[in-house]
Amino acid sequence: MLKSKIAQGFSPGMLLAIFVVIQFFRPAKNQDSQQDATQDIATIYPMPDSVQHMMQLACYDCHSNHTRYPWYAEIQPVGWLLNKHVQEGRQELNFQEYGKYSFRRQRNKLKRMKEQITAGKMPLSSYTLLHPEARLTPAQKQAILTWIDSTLTKI
């Protein structure tokens, strides 16, 4: 049905023209060049280097002020979808602004992180599909969970 509507309303040339035109409408990238590490979760609650490295690979693209964009982010509408996803992720949790959260919110975010990792909901499977380096092994997940538990007992 969609195919027939497209066939009735848009010629292939018109679709190509629309595709070309939308390439000029690019979202602003999430790439803060002046990163302030003083509010980063790793500064507020020190973690082993291995845990920090895992979290940077698996979490920071969507949950920080600096995203490493893949090449296909340059193609619209994929770039728009990625931008929306990153904005939602940062709004939910931003590791680089963790120190700005209230103590209660910090504690709740740690608990929520634990729930998400334990349930296998984070990192998102849609993200790890295209970013295999973000896949966490059971041992890596356990290392992050151990750090979360340790941190929760201290705060």
Side-chain angles (χ1 to χ4, degrees):
M1 179 157 178
L2 177 63
K3 189 175 182 178
S4 65
K5 285 191 174 195
I6 290 174
Q8 292 173 359
F10 298 103
S11 68
M14 185 178 264
L15 289 174
L16 179 61
I18 291 171
F19 179 75
V20 170
V21 168
I22 67 173
Q23 302 312 308
F24 292 101
F25 298 95
R26 297 171 179 265
K29 292 198 172 184
N30 178 39
Q31 293 182 320
D32 183 6
S33 61
Q34 299 177 357
Q35 297 180 30
D36 178 14
T38 60
Q39 301 300 318
D40 194 286
I41 190 170
T43 303
I44 305 296
Y45 300 113
M47 60 183 68
D49 290 343
S50 60
V51 170
Q52 185 175 8
H53 180 71
M54 286 183 274
M55 288 181 56
Q56 286 176 339
L57 285 178
C59 313
Y60 271 55
D61 275 345
C62 297
H63 297 287
S64 76
N65 293 329
H66 191 84
T67 301
R68 297 170 296 134
Y69 287 94
W71 63 268
Y72 50 83
E74 300 298 325
I75 301 170
Q76 309 313 322
V78 175
W80 299 337
L81 295 171
L82 285 174
N83 184 54
K84 182 178 184 297
H85 182 80
V86 168
Q87 284 183 351
E88 290 172 353
R90 281 188 352 180
Q91 186 175 11
E92 181 65 29
L93 173 63
N94 188 332
F95 289 122
Q96 291 184 312
E97 296 181 4
Y98 200 80
K100 296 178 182 176
Y101 297 165
S102 70
F103 175 74
R104 182 178 175 187
R105 186 172 184 203
Q106 289 179 3
R107 192 169 174 77
N108 287 338
K109 290 297 180 188
L110 283 173
K111 289 178 181 176
R112 186 78 173 134
M113 285 170 52
K114 182 178 177 179
E115 290 171 6
Q116 295 286 311
I117 292 170
T118 301
K121 294 181 178 177
M122 286 288 168
L124 294 174
S125 58
S126 60
Y127 180 75
T128 58
L129 180 68
L130 298 172
H131 298 87
E133 73 280 4
R135 292 183 190 137
L136 298 173
T137 65
Q140 290 172 320
K141 288 180 181 180
Q142 188 55 52
I144 294 172
L145 294 173
T146 299
W147 171 78
I148 291 172
D149 285 338
S150 170
T151 302
L152 283 170
T153 60
K154 295 175 189 170
I155 61 173

